[in-house]
Amino acid sequence: MLILGIISGCRRAKDTADVPEVITTKTGIEMVAIPGGWFEMGSENWTSDESPIHEVWLSPFWMDRFEVAQEQFKKYQLSDPSHFKNPEHPLEQINWTDAALYCNERSIAEGFEPCYDEETWQCNFDANGYRLPTEAEWEYACRAGTNTKFSFGNDTKKLKNYAWFSDNSSGKTHPVGQKKPNLWGLYDMYGNVSEWCNDFYSEDYYKKSPEKDPKGPAMGEEKVLRGGAWNSSADSCRSSYRSSDPSIDDTCLANDAIGFRCVRNANNRKSTEEQDISNDDKLQIVSKTGFLYDDIYLDHKTTDGHPETPQRLAAIVDRLKIKGLYSQLIALSPEKASLEWLLTVHTPEYVERVEKSCDNNILYLDSIDTPISQQSYEAALFAAGGVLSATDAVMEKKVTNTFCAVRPPGHHAQKDEAMGFCIFNNIAIGARYIQKKYKLQKILIVDWDVHHGNGTQAVFYDDPNVMYFSVHQYPFYPGTGSGAEKGGGEGLNYNINIPLPAGSGDSEYLQAFEDKLKPAAIDFSPDFVLVSAGFDAHKDDLLGGMNVTPQGFAEMTRIVKQIAEKCCEGRLVSVLEGGYHLEGLADSVEAHIRILME
Ligand SMILES: [Zn+2]
């Protein structure tokens, strides 16, 4: 997705002689305009979590010139947790969540959109308010165009001019801004208090982090701290030194050497380098993720109180719009699936029965699980057709990957029978389409809906060219999906079921993905990856009994995306299956799409 490598090495962050502009915000806080640009993040010679050194591009942003002082914090009626009480000293003993809360309060006070969701504490990077810096932003600002041990060079003896640290602090914090600033005019980037970043900490994140504006792992136990503090050794103040702390929201754990400063996006300020990039036809930095949707999907009506409602798609679309993601996605419209493609999976008698049942205003198709309305046949044709249209967009390279917000869902549908809210098996028809139309033989279908995709399994049970991998609650509806169902004939071992007991959550799912899916999929080496993306394993979903969080879905997405990138140039189409808790569904789809967009 990012084809920036060829210019790395020949362009650098702005000339350091060029000191960035400083502004004073409405509430009187000084901020430095940090220019966008490339830098080398990490170091090779110290601890393993700092390597490998990797090229990172950052968009421009504003950063507080000083650490947040106690007097500033108290302006928002937030109680001062600091140990070394003094209005001019940096705030400390602050847990991560309260630092994020301060960012929101300050955003509101200045008329900006807050970045943090105060329930999940996820950061909306599209909002224009204040937030904690990403780890990459912090290091980039700290280095200010240098790649030495400190921003003033490699001579540790000079650190005392720039920092309050163990050698000169007398065991306490000091007023902010007393030492020399770095080359970009930022004070106390080393010492005094170490500073919270927005990122979760992961020791090996640098090996897989994206090149442009990396935002850290989607989940983790601890948040990153940078810069060292009054009690740190000189080596723990280095530009690339990483530490972390578990006191995300536990005030009792927060220590008196931890503070923070804020940043804010400066998207309207394009740096010269960014302009150079957008002018160069060979370079693309836009996300190429498609979003397939059509209002026809709302015309498939179910009975009152049925969980599979049109509101599910409304919740998804609303969320993407509110978070500013919708406009960054490439909108795709579905075509109707023709009979030719329906018949690769279903019998002609069944297709005819669906059409007639809808025409005749029959209330249910095959069982009371699957209520229908007059427009359901049409909607179902567009749901299956949506997967085909999404596939075309990927194959024509209009997009790299796509999420299809379709209904009715498909993975329970049998060749001649509707089942479990499903009419046509959208994903199975998609797989046959890719094989026949594009001559790509090997398809991987990953199904993380809480229910076993019995319909999909049945279609490909004997087929060695379609690997079906399903992780699901078991025993549970629809009854199938034991580990012993491994495929038949030539298809033996190409059907992989990972049945999990009720109550399983992120760690069980991710373990299955790491230990079972990854090796099998890479060995299989698919030409195309399809995802039956059901979100009913979400912890709040009433139809499932699992405990998966949106971050868990994000991590599963990352693994599947890595498989597609390794095996088939990232070709991936994800298709909505279940997911019935509207808020949980929106949270999860948002998390899923954010990873697809990276
Ligand atoms: Zn389901």
Side-chain angles (χ1 to χ4, degrees), residues 411-412 420-421 449-452 476-477 534-537 543 577-580:
H411 73 153
H412 296 303
F421 321 161
D449 189 278
V450 77
H451 304 101
H452 180 239
F476 201 43
Y477 181 90
F535 297 96
D536 40 9
L543 264 68
E577 299 283 359
Y580 306 100

Side-chain angles (χ1 to χ4, degrees), residues 1 11 22 97 131 140-141 143 191 261 327 334 354 371 456 469 479 498 518 547-548 561 591:
M1 221 188 313
R11 291 184 194 166
V22 176
T97 311
R131 56 179 171 78
Y140 175 63
R143 288 185 174 282
R261 74 179 74 209
S327 58
V354 177
T456 312
F469 176 93
I498 310 292
K518 233 185 190 175
N547 279 314
V548 179
K561 190 175 165 224

Side-chain angles (χ1 to χ4, degrees), residues 204-338:
D204 58 7
Y205 178 66
Y206 287 7
K207 295 187 186 79
K208 61 189 179 195
S209 70
E211 208 170 6
K212 182 175 184 284
D213 293 326
K215 297 181 174 65
M219 58 191 295
E221 301 292 325
E222 305 193 356
K223 291 282 188 175
V224 172
L225 284 166
R226 285 301 203 114
W230 57 265
N231 58 358
S232 300
S233 67
D235 280 343
S236 309
C237 292
R238 291 175 299 105
S239 298
S240 59
Y241 182 77
R242 310 177 69 201
S243 63
S244 64
D245 193 279
S247 54
I248 293 178
D249 55 15
D250 190 337
T251 306
C252 304
L253 281 174
N255 81 46
D256 58 4
I258 298 180
F260 69 105
R261 74 179 74 209
C262 304
V263 297
R264 189 163 95 73
N265 293 350
N267 292 336
N268 50 345
R269 298 168 49 88
K270 279 202 171 180
S271 72
T272 29
E273 293 204 0
E274 207 172 35
Q275 281 160 10
D276 288 350
I277 287 172
S278 53
N279 290 343
D280 191 331
D281 291 343
K282 291 181 218 124
L283 302 170
Q284 286 181 316
I285 56 168
V286 287
S287 129
K288 286 189 69 177
T289 293
F291 181 73
L292 183 134
Y293 170 78
D294 195 290
D295 286 343
I296 181 73
Y297 300 136
L298 309 179
D299 291 340
H300 163 56
K301 307 269 196 258
T302 50
T303 40
D304 281 352
H306 195 284
E308 207 289 281
T309 69
Q311 278 90 51
R312 298 174 61 229
L313 298 193
I316 292 170
V317 172
D318 285 352
R319 171 61 65 86
L320 297 177
K321 286 186 174 164
I322 289 166
K323 291 296 176 86
L325 293 173
Y326 194 82
S327 58
Q328 295 178 45
L329 295 161
I330 297 172
L332 300 175
S333 297
E335 303 268 343
K336 254 193 238 192
S338 68

